[in-house]
Amino acid sequence: MGEIQAEIYLDRVPITASNFIDLAQSGFYNGLHFHRVIPGFMNQFGCPHSKDPASRRAGTGGPADGQFKNLATGGMETRSNGGNIKDELISRDSNVPGTLSMANTGSPNSGGSQFFMNVANNSFLDHFSPGQSKHPVFGKIISGYEICEAISKVPTRNDNPVTSCEDELGHDQDVSDEGCLPSDKDCFFEVLH
């Protein structure tokens, strides 16, 4: 199908961006599937339990507790309480189509590895908007947005893709989409920072 490239906002949300880049470069996202797809809303990715697209635990996991380097400051940051990072509610980038945003449980400091690609104007999810949902934007798709849109249109049942949507982040090789997209061609997501 093609390639998705994203710009990561290291200068705007350095903790969130550094966490994402660390996970991508370490291979954490390799072999994971999109576990939540809501047409006209977003595509969610990044749960380690989604390696098995039929897992009932898909959408409930995160990375291991530990540390990672803040690429903006050179200091160390912590993942704790189930691999979560502290909320970084400092940038006023909005959840508009094509942006990447941290997923969380709705509780403070509960984001870890899961993120979503907005396919609609979801400004009601902005941390600076009224309401309880607070999802900071940490990047935007700069190439391949049509693939993101295609993923958002796959058949779903209870917001889960009926066929697996496999993706891989941060490697220079193609990955089979296993029938997720309306093409037999490969889908690849590249992290640029």
Side-chain angles (χ1 to χ4, degrees):
M1 168 73 63
E3 179 177 287
I4 297 174
Q5 293 184 343
E7 174 186 357
I8 305 302
Y9 298 154
L10 184 60
D11 59 331
R12 301 178 201 175
V13 284
I15 296 170
T16 307
S18 295
N19 173 65
F20 177 78
I21 292 167
D22 177 70
L23 291 170
Q25 290 180 339
S26 73
F28 178 86
Y29 294 115
N30 294 357
L32 301 186
H33 299 259
F34 284 92
H35 61 272
R36 187 172 180 222
V37 173
I38 304 175
F41 181 42
M42 61 86 194
N43 309 324
Q44 192 166 330
F45 186 82
C47 176
H49 303 305
S50 72
K51 283 191 179 195
D52 173 3
S55 173
R56 292 179 186 255
R57 295 178 61 205
T60 65
D65 290 353
Q67 291 190 318
F68 61 96
K69 185 176 183 177
N70 183 317
L71 299 173
T73 68
M76 296 305 289
E77 302 291 346
T78 302
R79 289 186 195 103
S80 59
N81 300 316
N84 298 322
I85 61 171
K86 59 185 173 182
D87 289 337
E88 195 169 27
L89 308 177
I90 56 176
S91 175
R92 293 189 61 87
D93 292 294
S94 187
N95 282 277
V96 297
T99 55
L100 307 179
S101 191
M102 282 299 293
N104 59 47
T105 66
S107 297
N109 305 312
S110 62
S113 59
Q114 295 187 44
F115 67 96
F116 56 92
M117 302 174 187
N118 287 293
V119 295
N121 183 347
N122 296 319
S123 59
F124 66 95
L125 298 176
D126 295 341
H127 69 85
F128 49 88
S129 69
Q132 293 183 329
S133 282
K134 307 296 179 195
H135 299 274
V137 170
F138 66 91
K140 71 175 178 181
I141 295 170
I142 58 172
S143 176
Y145 178 70
E146 67 281 359
I147 297 167
C148 182
E149 288 182 312
I151 292 168
S152 76
K153 296 174 182 172
V154 299
T156 61
R157 184 179 310 113
N158 299 322
D159 297 336
N160 304 117
V162 174
T163 57
S164 65
C165 292
E166 184 173 333
D167 201 353
E168 184 164 311
L169 300 170
H171 293 274
D172 293 328
Q173 59 190 24
D174 290 332
V175 178
S176 171
D177 63 19
E178 298 185 12
C180 157
L181 303 175
S183 169
D184 291 332
K185 297 183 180 174
D186 292 334
C187 176
F188 173 70
F189 193 89
E190 181 180 3
V191 177
L192 303 176
H193 60 92

